[in-house]
Amino acid sequence: MKSSNNIHLSRRSFIKTSALAGGGMLIGFNLFQACKPEAKPPVDISQLNFNDFNAFIKIADNGMVTIFSPNPEIGQGVKTSMPMLIAEELDISWDNVRVVQGALDTENYTRQVAGGSQSIRLGWEPLRQTGATARQMLINAAAQRWNVDPKNCTTEAGVVKGPDGATLGYGELVKDAAVLEVPEEVTLKKPEDFTIIGKDIVNVDVDKIVTGKPLFGLDYKEDGMLTAVVMRAPSFGLKLKDYDASESKNVTGVVDIIDVKNRIAVLAKDTWTAMKARDLIKANWEEDTEIESTAMHDKKLMDLLNGKDFKTMRADGNVKKAFAEADQVLERVYESPFLPHNCMEPMNFFADVQDEKVRLVGPIQTPERTAQQVATLLERDVKDVSVEMTRMGGGFGRRLYGDFAQEAALISNIVKKPVKVVYTREDDMTAGVYRPAIKYKISASIKDGEITGYHLKEASINSNMYGLIPNFFPAGAIENYQVDVAKYDSNITTGAWRAPYTNFLSFAEQSFFDELAEVLGKDNIALRLELLEKVKGTTDERIQYSPERLQNVIREAVAKSGYGQPKEGVYQGFSSYYCHNTHVAEVADVVMENEVPVVKKVTCVVDCGVVVNPLGAKNQIEGGVLDGIGHAMYGNFTFEKGTPVDKNFNTYHLIRINETPQVETHFIKNDYAPTGLGEPALPPAGAAVANAIKIATGKRLYKQPFVNELKVKAPLG
């Protein structure tokens, strides 16, 4: 859908504007189209401290604008890019904008979530509408003062200009504007008139980040706060039998040691003391549920894949008949391991449980759900639970789950003191939540040199892709097409991991299509373009991707990378994918060094509609590509008797600086409304590398991590 310019407003979409006692204008707004129209500002707003608000923008009488950013910031840049949308339509200089992180506000918002690469996509028009409405109110105030038609007034960089050349700054107009009615219709800027959108804007928190000022959850502290470090079961499937903490209690600085639902919490005056005391606890554990291992997981998944206990997510035509009549069938199995999230900032959260209220502070992607979970856990009214969000040192899906916040609340409720739970790196890697291990079986039937059928089977631990990806490519491109899923439940906790499912499925399918092209004797690019051509003009509303936009990124990636005409000694692999509403194509350049394939460069072409902040967008793309390559090449997480084998980075291989290739990013220019970038660049990366390695070595890869299949020992360091 292309972005529109003429916006018809319901006055209920905006909260009544008010003049502030200290000067200036406060405007409340509904961030997303699904926001509650009945949202109201606090009573007697003029008497409240401005810092109490989180769902509003303030235009001060000196012309400075403060924008409260309500969505969680996990490094994806929304704390910068979302306010940019407001500032653009407000027509204010970015130098005059201040951004403040908002807290959870369930009265005015329905989606304060960081997940699924949806924040910019869903906020595109509502946020611009907010800025445009404020600008129109300022224009109306100036026109009223000058006794002229508002249509004859314009704005530029925080100044209203009249038809006779007169000017008034926004700060001079806010008191007048604050008492005017909210306009029912505003006009949004055309893309060619943007002065902020499309420009490189530095992250609003960059100064605090580089100077080490308090910003993240681990930085948060309050007077009287205790630090809690928790001993959890060393293996999945165990429960606490008994423990001896006598030595731990003698450590200076330890305040208390308590039993917390199959866990032991050490509370101390600082983190180091709590960690030291925890190491002295002698705990005995006993088996509670089945103790699992990676060998067991492999067998159960393979049994599922070869069994009949599947749920069909989509079935077009007659796959069974197509395969029965085929001249040839290509069938391949692709396998991936569990993966930890490994956020740079380990899990942590602050809780202060009092009789009247529950205060939660920390890094969380789902503040509303966390508040509800804590309220249920403590048997409290959710209205009594507040959540303040800090910046997050990475999320990648791990911080969708508020288990660590619940743990902090539970401990605070027991000791009746403010508590911050802090995970060590070992805690972070061994306590879950993980990307589930998955196996895919992909089959294609070939008749008279053409693809007549396609069958994708998924076997997963704990969760399936229900409704998520059956309608991605090649859905709609092959007449007989079927997607089946099966799962088995494990006591190893799993959940979303950056670009859920697609992070591995893209490797499987895009590798399969390269091999399929080889079997058909067709060019791999031509095969993809040919299949996409068949989707054009479809009336199937289930299809989520655009064949035209996917073709565009494919052609552009070929052109920008010189794909098919590499330099001597360079082997190129191709991949294209659609997920999270964004179309991406990537080409990986691989060279052989000491008989080992090394990724030197990745060319990435992205169609995400209008690029709000190119600097932030490139950061997201580069990070996604490197993350995708790193985990496909090296990421491996195994269990022995329910215990994770790797507990820290000295044995678990995250991609190192010397292993990172150059990433060259190109955007498709258009005026479509923007889509997300936090996840879409990651899924195609693994397949592009795998397809390049096939050309370089002659070996096709079917399992991640690739170093295991290549039998290469990649040194850590």
Side-chain angles (χ1 to χ4, degrees):
M1 178 183 293
K2 293 191 177 183
S3 55
S4 58
N5 295 100
N6 294 320
I7 300 295
H8 213 47
L9 299 176
S10 163
R11 287 183 180 175
R12 294 186 307 164
S13 297
F14 273 75
I15 299 170
K16 178 67 176 176
T17 60
S18 300
L20 295 176
M25 177 174 67
L26 187 73
I27 302 177
F29 61 93
N30 284 334
L31 179 59
F32 295 115
Q33 294 166 351
C35 283
K36 303 170 183 177
E38 69 275 11
K40 296 291 188 294
V43 176
D44 196 13
I45 197 169
S46 64
Q47 302 303 311
L48 295 179
N49 185 300
F50 175 55
N51 292 324
D52 291 335
F53 305 118
N54 58 68
F56 308 97
I57 62 173
K58 177 190 176 184
I59 304 174
D61 54 9
N62 64 358
M64 291 296 293
V65 175
T66 300
I67 301 174
F68 284 81
S69 183
N71 274 35
E73 173 59 66
I74 54 176
Q76 82 281 42
V78 296
K79 191 175 175 183
T80 303
S81 54
M82 296 178 82
M84 285 175 65
L85 302 181
I86 295 174
E88 177 66 73
E89 295 294 346
L90 183 57
D91 208 1
I92 188 80
S93 169
W94 184 252
D95 292 337
N96 290 337
V97 173
R98 173 175 174 255
V99 179
V100 177
Q101 177 65 60
L104 175 65
D105 181 356
T106 57
E107 294 296 319
N108 295 326
Y109 302 120
T110 59
R111 194 188 185 276
Q112 283 182 274
V113 175
S117 301
Q118 296 298 302
S119 295
I120 289 296
R121 175 174 173 260
L122 295 177
W124 172 243
E125 284 198 352
L127 284 171
R128 293 172 63 210
Q129 174 184 309
T130 298
T133 300
R135 174 169 52 88
Q136 188 61 52
M137 293 174 69
L138 292 162
I139 289 174
N140 292 348
Q144 189 178 75
R145 189 179 295 188
W146 292 326
N147 195 27
V148 299
D149 189 334
K151 293 180 180 179
N152 295 325
C153 298
T154 60
T155 61
E156 183 179 354
V159 175
V160 180
K161 298 180 178 181
D164 60 354
T167 61
L168 286 168
Y170 285 1
E172 301 174 82
L173 294 167
V174 288
K175 289 183 179 179
D176 293 347
V179 298
L180 298 180
E181 290 291 334
V182 176
E184 292 189 357
E185 186 171 345
V186 296
T187 300
L188 301 182
K189 287 185 179 181
K190 296 178 180 179
E192 57 265 29
D193 296 326
F194 289 160
T195 59
I196 294 177
I197 293 173
K199 301 296 188 294
D200 289 341
I201 302 293
V202 175
N203 190 297
V204 295
D205 286 333
V206 69
D207 289 339
K208 289 184 177 180
I209 292 172
V210 299
T211 58
K213 290 184 173 64
L215 188 63
F216 298 89
L218 281 175
D219 298 325
Y220 188 82
K221 61 178 65 175
E222 288 190 7
D223 291 341
M225 179 188 84
L226 297 178
T227 298
V229 173
V230 180
M231 176 178 281
R232 303 170 186 85
S235 303
F236 289 91
L238 296 182
K239 67 178 181 180
L240 182 63
K241 183 179 180 182
D242 54 50
Y243 66 96
D244 178 3
S246 55
E247 287 186 58
S248 304
K249 291 179 180 179
N250 292 329
V251 175
T252 302
V254 170
V255 176
D256 205 352
I257 298 176
I258 60 174
D259 189 345
V260 189
K261 291 189 175 181
N262 202 42
R263 289 157 287 178
I264 306 164
V266 178
L267 292 106
K269 294 181 180 180
D270 60 79
T271 305
W272 177 248
T273 299
M275 290 167 56
K276 184 168 63 173
R278 183 181 64 172
D279 290 343
L280 296 174
I281 294 175
K282 298 178 179 63
N284 295 309
W285 307 86
E286 59 186 359
E287 188 170 338
D288 183 40
T289 56
E290 185 178 27
I291 305 297
E292 303 177 15
S293 66
T294 294
M296 177 193 296
H297 299 148
D298 285 342
K299 183 179 184 307
K300 285 194 173 185
L301 287 175
M302 194 57 72
D303 288 345
L304 270 180
L305 208 57
N306 294 324
K308 297 181 179 179
D309 189 20
F310 283 91
K311 177 177 181 179
T312 298
M313 301 308 302
R314 176 168 174 152
D316 299 346
N318 190 330
V319 166
K320 187 175 181 180
K321 181 180 179 183
F323 277 77
E325 296 176 350
D327 298 328
Q328 184 179 359
V329 171
L330 179 66
E331 182 176 282
R332 294 291 183 262
V333 173
Y334 300 86
E335 306 176 52
S336 69
F338 285 93
L339 285 181
H341 294 80
N342 283 329
C343 305
M344 183 63 71
E345 177 192 21
M347 300 304 107
N348 65 89
F349 224 78
F350 170 88
D352 185 8
V353 179
Q354 302 175 11
D355 291 340
E356 302 82 16
K357 62 181 180 179
V358 178
R359 280 189 61 238
L360 303 174
V361 184
I364 189 69
Q365 293 179 241
T366 51
E368 182 174 1
R369 185 169 71 178
T370 298
Q372 293 168 341
Q373 290 171 333
V374 169
T376 300
L377 179 69
L378 301 181
E379 298 181 346
R380 302 284 289 265
D381 191 324
V382 71
K383 293 182 179 179
D384 296 333
V385 181
S386 66
V387 181
E388 299 168 42
M389 291 170 278
T390 63
R391 189 179 179 95
M392 288 171 257
F396 313 118
R398 175 62 182 95
R399 286 187 161 100
L400 291 170
Y401 308 96
D403 50 297
F404 44 92
Q406 295 177 61
E407 197 169 61
L410 193 60
I411 295 170
S412 176
N413 189 51
I414 293 172
V415 300
K416 304 302 180 185
K417 294 179 180 179
V419 170
K420 183 165 78 170
V421 165
V422 175
Y423 281 44
T424 64
R425 175 60 58 195
E426 289 81 3
D427 294 335
D428 212 45
M429 289 188 68
T430 60
V433 174
Y434 309 109
R435 182 188 81 170
I438 297 178
K439 296 186 192 299
Y440 288 111
K441 180 184 287 186
I442 308 179
S443 308
S445 58
I446 301 169
K447 179 73 172 178
D448 298 329
E450 300 294 330
I451 304 170
T452 58
Y454 186 91
H455 196 181
L456 170 66
K457 290 184 176 181
E458 175 196 86
S460 174
I461 291 176
N462 287 341
S463 57
N464 292 128
M465 60 177 187
Y466 295 149
L468 182 63
I469 52 181
N471 302 315
F472 291 1
F473 179 81
I478 299 171
E479 183 178 358
N480 303 295
Y481 171 84
Q482 187 165 323
V483 177
D484 294 333
V485 295
K487 68 167 183 171
Y488 87 84
D489 294 324
S490 166
N491 55 32
I492 296 174
T493 52
T494 61
W497 189 95
R498 191 175 187 177
Y501 298 103
T502 60
N503 57 58
F504 175 61
L505 178 60
S506 176
F507 154 68
E509 288 196 308
Q510 288 296 301
S511 297
F512 184 81
F513 273 106
D514 255 34
E515 187 168 0
L516 188 56
E518 188 177 317
V519 170
L520 290 168
K522 292 188 176 184
D523 176 78
N524 61 335
I525 302 298
L527 175 62
R528 289 172 171 85
L529 295 175
E530 174 188 312
L531 289 170
L532 287 166
E533 199 66 30
K534 296 179 180 180
V535 190
K536 290 182 178 179
T538 182
T539 57
D540 187 347
E541 295 182 355
R542 296 173 298 173
I543 302 298
Q544 296 182 28
Y545 63 92
S546 162
E548 293 86 357
R549 295 174 77 174
L550 199 48
Q551 283 182 330
N552 286 344
V553 294
I554 290 172
R555 292 189 177 107
E556 189 72 0
V558 169
K560 293 296 185 183
S561 66
Y563 182 76
Q565 298 177 321
K567 295 179 181 179
E568 185 177 352
V570 175
Y571 306 91
Q572 293 184 309
F574 179 86
S575 175
S576 59
Y577 207 67
Y578 164 90
C579 68
H580 297 86
N581 311 105
T582 295
H583 303 76
V584 180
E586 297 178 16
V587 174
D589 291 0
V590 166
V591 300
M592 298 298 293
E593 295 182 358
N594 299 319
E595 299 183 354
V596 175
V598 176
V599 186
K600 287 294 187 180
K601 180 181 177 181
V602 174
T603 304
C604 185
V605 175
V606 179
D607 182 351
C608 60
V610 174
V611 181
V612 176
N613 183 359
L615 179 62
K618 288 178 182 178
N619 289 339
Q620 285 296 290
I621 292 166
E622 290 176 8
V625 170
L626 297 180
D627 203 8
I629 292 172
H631 285 92
M633 286 288 292
Y634 312 113
N636 195 29
F637 200 71
T638 59
F639 294 85
E640 290 182 4
K641 297 181 179 179
T643 303
V645 172
D646 296 303
K647 298 177 173 60
N648 210 318
F649 297 153
N650 61 320
T651 58
Y652 183 82
H653 194 146
L654 281 173
I655 190 169
R656 268 50 174 178
I657 290 177
N658 63 309
E659 296 162 341
T660 58
Q662 173 192 356
V663 179
E664 183 181 293
T665 302
H666 302 274
F667 295 103
I668 299 291
K669 293 184 179 180
N670 56 46
D671 61 352
Y672 287 102
T675 52
L677 282 177
E679 293 160 292
L682 184 149
V689 170
N691 289 334
I693 289 174
K694 163 59 172 66
I695 298 170
T697 67
K699 181 178 179 59
R700 285 218 173 267
L701 302 172
Y702 300 100
K703 296 181 181 181
Q704 292 185 359
F706 299 157
V707 290
N708 287 359
E709 280 217 273
L710 293 168
K711 304 192 185 312
V712 173
K713 178 65 175 176
L716 297 178

